[in-house]
Amino acid sequence: MSRGLILVGPPGVGKGTQAELLNERLGLVHLSSGEIFRAEIDSQSDLGRLAQRYIDEGRLVPNGITIEMMAKRLRTGEVRRSGFILDGFPRTVRQAEALDTDTDDLQLEITAVVSLVADEDVVVARLSERGRADDDPETIKRRIQVYHEETRPVLDYYEKQGLVRHIDSDQPIEDVHADIVRSLGHD
Ligand code: ADP
């Protein structure tokens, strides 16, 4: 069975960067919920218009819509053949439960959950430099609050399944990558 990884961590911790490096190294299909939403916004689809309201305010897009969107992306031959890496999803326990059902149905397996850890001042500084539309100080504050309330419990959910590896993300990009690979047993 192909491998399925999940990257979890606060906004700005480097999930997207590390997911890309893992994609290059392990050939896993990279599915970033934030990127998928931004592509929908760019193409001015109904989903994009709906998602934008939430994203601009630093709130989560509703679970039902997000779960549906990601399930569609998981249901492809390429994911089945190459495995997957999820970045930004699941972000709530409801999403994690739905993902468990979907991966069971699709005969996919979540093999590890990588928790990227950095101090709050480090992630806030990174986000402020990035300058994306949803990276203004008020929205950043809201996103970090949402992370603590909604997404931290997702880590507990996977801890119970023994899947979580904690990685120090306050290091150079290549070192974080090396630590992740080592934690997966891919030296
Ligand atoms: P970051 O991790 O830096 O916050 P993302 O690109 O992952 O950036 O997410 C940007 C925004 O997209 C989030 O603040 C949220 O509004 C929306 N979003 C992304 N993933 C999800 C998800 N799984 N559930 C709900 N909303 C999401």
Side-chain angles (χ1 to χ4, degrees):
M1 211 185 271
S2 332
R3 83 172 37 201
L5 305 182
I6 299 175
L7 286 185
V8 182
V13 80
K15 297 183 295 289
T17 305
Q18 294 302 327
E20 270 311 302
L21 291 174
L22 289 165
N23 164 283
E24 282 165 29
R25 182 162 186 144
L26 304 174
L28 306 171
V29 179
H30 175 195
L31 298 174
S32 157
S33 49
E35 272 176 25
I36 296 168
F37 280 133
R38 284 187 286 278
E40 294 284 345
I41 291 170
D42 286 348
S43 69
Q44 301 186 332
S45 67
D46 288 345
L47 171 59
R49 263 189 287 274
L50 196 151
Q52 182 159 31
R53 298 211 313 264
Y54 295 92
I55 292 174
D56 284 351
E57 291 180 3
R59 295 175 193 278
L60 294 184
V61 180
N63 280 323
I65 296 164
T66 306
I67 289 165
E68 174 74 19
M69 177 182 86
M70 296 306 286
K72 199 167 111 194
R73 299 302 198 290
L74 283 167
R75 226 179 281 135
T76 65
E78 204 196 346
V79 166
R80 193 180 304 269
R81 277 190 302 278
S82 308
F84 60 92
I85 177 152
L86 292 172
D87 146 23
F89 181 87
R91 248 178 164 95
T92 66
V93 170
R94 270 254 336 262
Q95 292 178 11
E97 288 166 350
L99 177 63
D100 271 346
T101 307
D102 287 336
T103 47
D104 279 353
D105 289 349
L106 295 166
Q107 291 181 290
L108 300 170
E109 192 188 3
I110 298 164
T111 47
V113 175
V114 174
S115 160
L116 294 176
V117 184
D119 284 345
E120 191 161 313
D121 48 340
V122 172
V123 301
V124 170
R126 287 184 187 169
L127 289 171
S128 314
E129 275 168 29
R130 189 167 70 179
R132 214 169 63 195
D134 56 343
D135 287 341
D136 67 281
E138 271 310 300
T139 315
I140 289 174
K141 221 157 92 191
R142 161 86 63 174
R143 280 158 59 207
I144 290 175
Q145 183 193 348
V146 168
Y147 173 76
H148 287 299
E149 287 169 7
E150 305 271 3
T151 310
R152 287 296 297 267
V154 172
L155 279 176
D156 301 333
Y157 179 88
Y158 289 120
E159 286 279 8
K160 288 191 194 112
Q161 301 182 25
L163 288 171
V164 180
R165 281 93 158 128
H166 297 276
I167 304 291
D168 175 10
S169 194
D170 188 8
Q171 313 180 71
I173 288 171
E174 282 304 327
D175 295 351
V176 177
H177 176 63
D179 280 358
I180 294 174
V181 170
R182 209 171 298 127
S183 81
L184 299 173
H186 256 257
D187 270 335

